[in-house]
Amino acid sequence: MPRTNQIFVAGMRQVVGVVPFSQDGEKVLVISSKKDKSKWIFPKGGLETTDSTHQAGAAREAWEEAGIRGRIVSSIGEWDCTTKRKQKPQRIAWFEMRVTECLDEWPERDERKRQWISVSMALPIKVQCNMSKEGPQQVDEALRVVSKAHMIGALASSSPMHGKVSPGDYERPLST
């Protein structure tokens, strides 16, 4: 998809993504990368001018890439990184999504595979997120935080993944 309708702030592409969990929090959904079908990633993509909020953009990307709908329940965090090939800067905001529906038809169904894996199975796997060195470690930590939260019944507000953002930061309409 062309990037003419995507949002850039100070030359940095704004990206949104979800870590999609099953309703019981026991599994996460991963999708194959378009460029390398052997790599598993989480749904993410550019924030667009038509997205009313970061959460809305993340939900749109989840539908386009993975064919899922769900409820965004919290912000996992955001960080700056660069793309692997062209070293272009981007800021990625990640959200926890509880999946409520897996659709049979979605825009990228012919380009991607999707697979549910257990959170415990996902923790030791380095799920590729097309990020700089810090990115995959933070996503691994997000899985640990959400897995732990599932076990104890609540997210720890002091989690390092909540860093400089709060869930309310993404509920406001975008200003472009």
Side-chain angles (χ1 to χ4, degrees):
M1 178 168 277
R3 295 192 175 161
T4 56
N5 63 340
Q6 292 193 6
I7 296 174
F8 289 78
V9 175
M12 186 175 290
R13 182 175 175 229
Q14 304 299 293
V15 177
V16 289
V18 298
V19 179
F21 284 83
S22 59
Q23 284 294 306
D24 63 7
E26 297 290 326
K27 295 181 178 177
V28 292
L29 184 78
V30 291
I31 59 173
S32 61
S33 165
K34 279 170 126 178
K35 294 178 183 149
D36 181 350
K37 301 257 188 266
S38 69
K39 288 186 180 175
W40 294 101
I41 62 173
F42 293 120
K44 69 168 178 42
L47 187 64
E48 297 181 357
T49 55
T50 55
D51 297 325
S52 59
T53 64
H54 286 73
Q55 291 172 323
R60 177 188 46 74
E61 285 295 335
W63 170 70
E64 288 177 0
E65 294 189 354
I68 55 175
R69 296 201 191 279
R71 183 172 43 88
I72 303 280
V73 296
S74 67
S75 168
I76 294 171
E78 74 173 22
W79 52 89
D80 298 342
C81 58
T82 57
T83 59
K84 280 186 177 179
R85 287 188 318 161
K86 296 184 180 178
Q87 296 296 301
K88 294 197 177 218
Q90 55 186 8
R91 173 165 291 151
I92 302 180
W94 287 99
F95 297 93
E96 175 189 353
M97 173 185 265
R98 293 298 168 137
V99 177
T100 57
E101 188 176 9
C102 277
L103 305 166
D104 292 330
E105 301 285 324
W106 73 94
E108 296 185 15
R109 71 184 172 280
D110 295 332
E111 302 169 75
R112 297 184 187 273
K113 295 179 277 183
R114 63 183 179 188
Q115 180 175 333
W116 285 101
I117 60 175
S118 69
V119 171
S120 60
M121 188 175 152
L123 293 177
I125 296 171
K126 290 292 183 200
V127 179
Q128 297 298 315
C129 293
N130 296 331
M131 288 190 251
S132 63
K133 183 178 173 184
E134 297 79 20
Q137 294 166 353
Q138 289 181 316
V139 173
D140 289 346
E141 179 64 16
L143 288 170
R144 286 186 187 89
V145 167
V146 177
S147 176
K148 183 176 180 182
H150 172 69
M151 292 185 326
I152 62 173
L155 277 171
S157 61
S158 62
S159 163
M161 290 309 299
H162 292 283
K164 60 183 177 178
V165 297
S166 66
D169 289 345
Y170 296 103
E171 294 168 2
R172 294 187 301 270
L174 296 173
S175 57
T176 54

